[in-house]
């Protein structure tokens, strides 16, 4: 009641980092959130994708002694974490954190969650009491005046910089070391990330896609600005630039896509925060869904609605609810796979995660996070899904190219010079200026509408009522002309790229490309396959 609801969309296999989580008491009344699937990186020898903090630049082989020492340390850490979970009443009766892959393979080996017995769809995987989570209320006053100043905190609230507030909350907790009641949890968090913000300019060029390069540059600036703000407004805060970047990356990598509930009042409260979570991507991505772009913050970092007084009473009065950002121990250990919904429930008292599928003893248990394209995956997590069906291609400058290079459009607009203005008045210009192609090469409906409007002859336009609305339905000569125009533009874009799809496939088969180079090749090859699919679809 009165909480956000997130509905799962299909996505692909993927491995998250930490945690397992408890099952919530059946007596707790909890609204359901159907978490969206979220495709993670697929490496050469596995079909699953993960967001584990593997150093993507490659690693040197380790010795037997090093492996044994590392394994022993990991086992000791897991034992401590299990003891900590038990003490905090975090229930996970059907699953446990485990490592998968060859123990000798330090790059491909990854962490996930395995089934301790048969699990059926809908079975509770993890249940966490509210007290077991790191909670930061959206309207919270400075919770740690010994760690940072009111001047900094107030500015973060004023600028709605929720990510940095959550990052500071995490840094404050880790600064306590073993004295922190969450030490067993925070000590397991990834120690480093290899996100695009750490790539060099030359490495970013390997991606061959300007929008994601701008996103990487924006991420760098966000890191720099955050540290500069801390130095200016709270110089006594004991954190380095590297620590600030680490904490922000922790927050970024735990944001999930979702659909807000239909409750109007709840939606009104959540939407501004949800959109704030997505601004980094909203600047360069166009939502390929008819519902538009929506984001909510869930999973290890969750955006939830709590009752105002925190007494556990789930009041339906939205005015008594407040938002909170929550770090959820153990849930983030589950890796991702594109499949049917995963149910994530929450109330003022607890959180519950349910299984989306059937699993046998010792199987890796996968859940569905969110339907994310490779742009978001590589920016937030540092990997791509080489066969990501949720990926898109945003064709920047599509209209400009057609006006300058496509003879039929020149002819059409020459005969009807007011057509561009009519299209602009119908608010279709953005769809053709940055044309969005879905993973199967299909163009956005509004893009095709705009192209039909621009390509229709005066006679066809008049026959459709002489309005842009008359061109909304496809068919006939305008449809064919729009298809030919789009196919020509996609062919031209493919020909303008530094490497061809065939070049990239050959490089991957050769196996010489590793680390960031391989990631870049997989990323750009998926984009080229979308363009190729568009050519095959529209070259009539």
């Amino acid at each position: 009641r009165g909480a956000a609801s997130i509905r799962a969309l299909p996505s692909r296999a993927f491995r998250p980092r930490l945690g397992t989580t408890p099952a919530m008491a059946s007596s707790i009344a909890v609204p359901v959130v159907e978490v969206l699937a979220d495709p993670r990186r697929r490496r050469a020898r596995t079909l699953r994708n993960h967001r584990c903090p593997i150093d993507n630049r490659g690693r040197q082989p380790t010795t037997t002694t090093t492996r044994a020492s590392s394994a022993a340390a990991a086992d000791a850490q897991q034992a401590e974490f299990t003891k900590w979970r038990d003490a905090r009443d975090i229930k996970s009766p059907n699953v446990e954190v485990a490592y998968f892959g060859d123990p000798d393979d330090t790059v491909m080996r990854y962490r996930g969650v395995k089934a301790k017995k048969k699990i059926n769809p809908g079975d509770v995987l993890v249940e966490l009491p509210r007290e077991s989570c790191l909670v930061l209320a959206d309207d919270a006053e400075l919770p740690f005046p010994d760690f940072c100043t009111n001047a900094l905190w107030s500015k973060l609230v004023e600028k709605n910089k929720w990510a940095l507030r959550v990052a500071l909350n995490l840094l404050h907790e880790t600064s306590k070391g073993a004295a922190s009641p969450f030490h067993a949890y925070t000590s397991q968090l990834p120690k480093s990330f290899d996100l695009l913000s750490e790539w060099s300019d030359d490495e970013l060029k390997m991606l061959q896609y300007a929008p994601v390069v701008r996103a990487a540059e924006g991420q760098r600036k966000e890191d720099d600005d955050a540290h500069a703000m801390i130095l200016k407004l709270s110089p006594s805060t004991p954190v380095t630039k590297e620590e600030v970047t680490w904490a922000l990356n922790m927050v970024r990598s735990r944001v999930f896509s979702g659909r807000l509930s239909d409750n109007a009042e709840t939606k009104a409260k959540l939407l501004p925060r949800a959109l704030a979570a997505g601004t980094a991507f909203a600047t360069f991505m166009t939502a390929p869904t008819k519902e538009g772009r929506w984001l909510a913050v869930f999973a290890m970092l969750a955006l939830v609605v709590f009752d105002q007084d925190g007494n556990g009473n789930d009041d339906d009065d939205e005015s008594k609810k407040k938002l909170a950002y929550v770090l959820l121990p153990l849930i983030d250990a589950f890796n991702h796979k594109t499949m049917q919904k995963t149910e994530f429930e929450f109330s003022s008292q607890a959180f519950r995660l349910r299984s989306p599928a059937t699993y046998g003893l010792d199987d890796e248990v996968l859940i569905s996070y969110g339907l994310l394209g490779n742009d978001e995956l590589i920016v937030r997590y540092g990997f791509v899904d080489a066969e990501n069906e949720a990926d898109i291609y945003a064709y920047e400058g599509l209209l400009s190219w057609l006006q300058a290079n496509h003879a039929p459009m020149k002819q059409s607009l020459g005969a009807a010079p007011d057509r561009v203005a009519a299209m602009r008045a119908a608010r279709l210009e953005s769809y053709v200026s940055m044309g969005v192609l879905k993973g199967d090469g299909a163009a956005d409906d509004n893009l095709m509408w705009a192209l039909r409007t621009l390509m229709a002859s005066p006679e066809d336009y008049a026959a459709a009522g002489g309005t842009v609305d008359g061109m909304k339905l496809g068919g006939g000569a305008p449809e064919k002309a729009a298809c030919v125009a789009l196919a020509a533009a996609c062919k031209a874009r493919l020909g303008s790229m530094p490497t061809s799809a065939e070049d990239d496939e050959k490089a991957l088969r050769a196996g010489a490309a590793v680390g960031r180079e391989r990631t870049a090749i997989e990323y750009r090859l998926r984009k080229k396959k979308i363009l190729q699919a568009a050519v095959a679809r529209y070259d009539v």
Side-chain angles (χ1 to χ4, degrees), residues 242-289:
E242 291 71 25
E243 289 169 336
V244 172
T245 299
W246 170 82
L248 284 172
N249 285 339
M250 195 68 61
V251 171
R252 292 178 183 124
S253 65
R254 281 154 174 79
V255 174
F256 289 82
S257 296
R259 186 183 316 236
L260 300 176
S261 72
D262 292 331
N263 181 289
E265 291 181 284
T266 300
K267 191 170 183 178
K269 293 183 71 174
L270 290 177
L271 189 57
R273 278 79 171 183
L275 292 179
T279 50
F281 305 103
T283 57
F284 73 95
M285 283 176 58
T286 301
T289 61

Side-chain angles (χ1 to χ4, degrees), residues 34-49:
E34 301 171 4
V35 178
L36 285 176
D38 169 28
R40 303 297 162 137
R41 176 182 189 86
R42 173 174 291 121
R43 288 194 178 248
R45 298 199 300 268
T46 179
L47 294 179
R48 290 186 173 80
N49 299 293

Side-chain angles (χ1 to χ4, degrees), residues 504 507-508 513 516-526:
D504 293 341
L508 291 176
R516 292 177 178 175
E517 183 183 4
R518 185 175 187 86
T519 298
I521 295 174
E522 290 177 340
Y523 174 86
R524 72 197 191 208
L525 178 57
R526 181 67 190 115

Side-chain angles (χ1 to χ4, degrees), residues 11 30 62 66 106 136 229 258 260 349 359 364 440 498 523 536:
S11 87
V30 288
T62 57
T66 301
T106 59
L136 179 66
M229 182 179 288
L260 300 176
Q349 296 175 315
Y359 296 100
E364 181 181 5
D440 60 358
Y523 174 86

Side-chain angles (χ1 to χ4, degrees), residues 74-85:
D75 289 344
Q77 194 175 56
Q78 284 306 311
E80 181 184 359
F81 188 41
T82 300
K83 182 179 178 181
W84 179 85
R85 297 198 315 265

Side-chain angles (χ1 to χ4, degrees), residues 136-137 222 307 341 438-439 454 472:
L136 179 66
E222 186 178 9
D307 57 293
K341 67 182 181 181
K438 302 174 187 178
L454 296 173
K472 189 168 186 177

